[in-house]
């Protein structure tokens, strides 16, 4: 099958969150299954010279956005069996920061038009156009008509993946015609109308031939308003074409037995190197170097839905245990400040790293003992998978993909991969941490086996990529 995969961010070129990891690792997995996969993304200023020097210029053309006609330069690069297309328009993408501009609606509407018009320009006839999150939500909507206008799209079906329903692309009704180029007929409850506004995500859910989200459990949770942020009715109305498919991670790139850039390598059968990674981490972060004290780590954006309220409430209780605490991430000022203060209050025991640093995050995955992820909502979550891959035992709230990927530790049968709790409650979270720290101190053998199971757990794309292919087959009727 011919697949065009559109995403506002794709690792390793540009990343702000888990979407980039998925967009970076699912397409090569689909290519490995024998499909012709092309990925398309904006050529942001932040995409570095190391990639630009490998790109070739394909051509330029003008895409239509309502009454505008806008320059689109197309660059291309091959990697891991996949062709990547970069959409160049400096007035939209040569800026600091990739989101959060006053004209994001226009920037991503333009990108969506580029996704729709590029196949015809390069003589590629996609069977599937697979879009991700609100930034590409207009693509399935445009396709409703464009498949009748453009020969290249005449057989194209759309798949729309929700990575996080909280970000919906909600705009005033006045943008509909003038900016997006959609007539009044799109302003109805079965399409984009959301109260008196328009919601791009709602439109995509209605318009796409198939909708997926990133874990089976999140697909269930989206029936409830607590998780669906106002779109539960839209989800219910489209139930028959929605499915949850658990994300995978790149198991090879994240194999601590072959990585050369860690303080030491280690494997599921031999954990010795992990102790070296731990000592190196403690040293690097100014923590007391002590092999016997467990390090609890959080790597996350510091925002409410990641559960930081619980961490703050329970923090004294956590530090009353014999533990060290490492945080990496940026976000809401109040949380940043909380952890800076905590570092001052517990010198040598708490390390607050208010920044984003890929190498440090790998050093933490490899060197920590316990990975805390108390999310209020978590569509899939990849950090818990990375943590397990590096033998760091997760403590998670049973929500979204955390429930699907972290079966609870059972001491009697010696099964499970981590420690879990159910309610959004600081005391319950603390209880799960107590249990984890308890096993760490009191049952070394069980802890060691837990590390082995975590490292060997299969979070590869093999199975999930096949599930996407099943969806593609269902809607195209192709083999
Ligand atoms: C979003 C979600 C996260 C998911 C990721 C990739 O960042 O919040 O749970 O893992 O997308 O699908």
């Amino acid at each position: 099958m011919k697949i065009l995969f559109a995403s506002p961010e794709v690792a390793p070129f540009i990343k702000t969150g888990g979407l980039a990891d998925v967009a970076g690792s699912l397409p090569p997995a689909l290519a490995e299954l024998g499909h012709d996969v092309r990925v398309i993304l904006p050529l942001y200023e932040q995409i570095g010279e190391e990639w630009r020097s490998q790109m070739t210029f394909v051509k330029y053309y003008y895409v239509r956005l309502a009454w505008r006609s806008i320059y689109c330069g197309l660059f291309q690069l091959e990697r891991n069996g996949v062709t990547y297309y970069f959409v160049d328009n400096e007035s939209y993408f040569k800026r600091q920061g990739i989101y959060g501009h006053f004209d994001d609606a226009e920037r991503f509407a333009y990108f969506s038009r580029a996704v729709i018009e590029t196949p015809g320009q390069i003589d590629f006839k996609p069977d599937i156009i697979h879009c991700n999150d609100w930034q590409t939500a207009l693509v399935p909507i445009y396709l409703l008509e464009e498949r009748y206008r453009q020969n290249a799209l005449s057989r194209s079906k759309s798949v729309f993946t929700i990575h996080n329903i909280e970000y919906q692309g909600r705009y005033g009704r006045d943008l509909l015609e003038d900016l997006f180029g959609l007539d009044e007929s799109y302003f109805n409850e079965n399409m984009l109308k959301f109260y008196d506004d328009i919601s791009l995500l709602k439109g995509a859910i209605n318009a796409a031939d198939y909708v997926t989200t990133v874990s089976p459990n999140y697909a269930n949770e989206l029936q409830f308003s607590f998780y669906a942020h106002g779109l539960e009715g839209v989800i219910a109305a489209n139930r028959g074409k929605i499915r949850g498919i658990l994300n995978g991670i790149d198991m090879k790139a994240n194999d601590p037995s072959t990585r050369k850039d860690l303080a030491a390598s280690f494997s599921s059968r031999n954990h010795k190197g992990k102790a070296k990674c731990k000592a190196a981490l403690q040293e690097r972060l100014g923590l007391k170097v002590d092999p016997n004290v467990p390090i609890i780590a959080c790597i996350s954006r510091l925002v409410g839905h990641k559960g930081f309220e619980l961490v703050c409430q329970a923090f004294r209780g956590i530090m009353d245990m014999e533990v060290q605490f490492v945080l990496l991430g940026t976000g809401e000022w109040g949380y940043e400040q909380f952890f800076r203060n905590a570092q001052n209050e517990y010198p040598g025991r708490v390390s607050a790293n208010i920044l984003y640093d890929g190498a440090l995050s790998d050093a933490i995955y490899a060197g920590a003992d316990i990975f805390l992820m108390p999310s209020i909502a978590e569509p899939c979550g990849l950090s818990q998978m990375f943590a397990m891959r590096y033998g760091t035992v997760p403590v998670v709230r049973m929500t979204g993909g955390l429930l699907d990927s972290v079966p609870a530790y059972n001491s009697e049968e010696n099964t499970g991969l981590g420690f879990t709790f159910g309610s959004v409650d600081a005391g319950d979270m603390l209880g799960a941490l107590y249990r984890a720290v308890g096993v760490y101190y009191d049952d070394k053998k069980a802890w060691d086996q837990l590390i082995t199971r975590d490292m060997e757990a299969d979070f590869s794309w093999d199975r999930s990529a096949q599930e996407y292919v099943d969806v593609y087959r269902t809607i195209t009727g192709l083999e």
Side-chain angles (χ1 to χ4, degrees), residues 20 66 141 150 233 315 354 383 421:
I141 300 166
Q150 294 188 44
F315 203 71
I354 311 298
S383 315
F421 64 102

Side-chain angles (χ1 to χ4, degrees), residues 93-387:
F93 301 127
K94 192 177 165 77
R95 306 200 185 171
Q96 296 226 321
I98 74 171
Y99 311 129
H101 297 283
F102 76 99
D103 56 350
D104 278 359
E106 180 173 339
R107 296 166 71 227
F108 291 103
Y110 159 77
F111 175 59
S112 300
R113 287 301 311 182
V115 173
I116 281 287
E117 296 192 26
T118 296
Q121 293 286 347
I122 56 173
D123 202 19
F124 179 63
K125 291 189 166 184
D127 301 304
I128 293 291
I129 304 185
H130 188 154
C131 305
N132 298 276
D133 275 357
W134 74 266
Q135 296 92 335
T136 57
L138 280 163
V139 175
I141 300 166
Y142 288 139
L143 188 62
L144 293 174
E145 290 185 38
E146 293 291 334
R147 59 161 63 103
Y148 299 105
R149 287 201 189 107
Q150 294 188 44
N151 184 13
L153 305 179
S154 59
R155 286 179 314 160
S156 304
K157 301 281 183 199
S158 59
V159 175
F160 184 74
T161 298
I162 303 168
H163 295 263
N164 193 337
I165 207 161
E166 212 177 321
Y167 305 108
Q168 299 185 353
R170 184 169 171 178
Y171 295 105
R173 171 183 186 167
D174 49 319
L175 298 194
L176 190 70
E177 272 196 79
D178 182 58
L179 183 60
F180 300 141
L182 296 167
D183 64 46
E184 278 297 303
S185 70
Y186 285 85
F187 192 71
N188 73 73
E189 281 298 340
N190 297 317
M191 202 35 72
L192 287 142
K193 182 176 186 301
F194 189 56
Y195 299 96
D196 286 331
D197 294 336
I198 51 183
S199 160
L200 298 183
L201 207 70
K202 175 174 176 178
I205 295 168
N206 282 323
D209 292 297
Y210 212 94
V211 176
T212 69
T213 186
V214 289
S215 70
N217 186 46
Y218 190 60
N220 284 335
E221 289 175 344
L222 288 183
Q223 300 174 71
F224 306 108
S225 56
F226 180 79
Y227 291 103
H229 294 269
L231 294 183
E232 57 278 5
V234 186
I235 296 287
N238 288 281
R239 198 77 233 153
K241 60 167 194 190
I242 300 181
R243 189 195 292 190
I245 300 177
L246 192 67
N247 286 333
I249 59 170
D250 186 334
M251 299 281 283
K252 271 200 214 109
N254 289 287
D255 181 351
S257 72
T258 54
R259 284 191 67 151
K260 300 272 178 289
D261 49 350
L262 301 174
S265 56
F266 55 99
S267 69
S268 63
R269 296 277 146 216
N270 184 347
H271 306 165
K272 280 209 192 85
K274 187 163 171 70
K276 284 196 189 141
C277 290
K278 177 169 176 175
L281 182 68
Q282 288 171 321
E283 185 139 4
R284 173 173 177 176
L285 298 181
L287 297 169
K288 181 163 179 258
V289 179
D290 183 341
N292 298 317
V293 175
I295 302 179
I296 300 173
C298 273
I299 302 177
S300 174
R301 281 182 299 126
L302 303 178
V303 293
H305 77 253
K306 295 291 183 183
F308 280 97
E309 215 47 61
L310 306 186
V311 181
C312 295
Q313 282 170 27
F315 203 71
R316 281 181 193 284
I318 297 175
M319 297 314 295
D320 282 346
M321 297 186 280
E322 243 350 278
V323 299
Q324 296 178 347
F325 189 94
V326 172
L327 172 103
L328 174 64
T330 59
E332 285 168 26
W333 183 84
Y335 295 129
E336 294 187 350
Q337 214 43 23
F338 179 91
F339 289 108
R340 283 195 191 102
N341 292 339
Q343 174 171 306
N344 293 336
E345 198 177 337
Y346 299 97
R349 295 185 61 206
V350 172
S351 165
N353 306 275
I354 311 298
L355 51 112
Y356 177 76
D357 177 337
L360 178 57
S361 106
D362 290 344
I364 296 173
Y365 285 129
D369 299 288
I370 294 169
F371 193 81
L372 177 60
M373 216 167 157
S375 307
I376 312 297
E378 194 61 76
C380 176
L382 300 171
S383 315
Q384 80 280 13
M385 298 182 189
F386 291 127

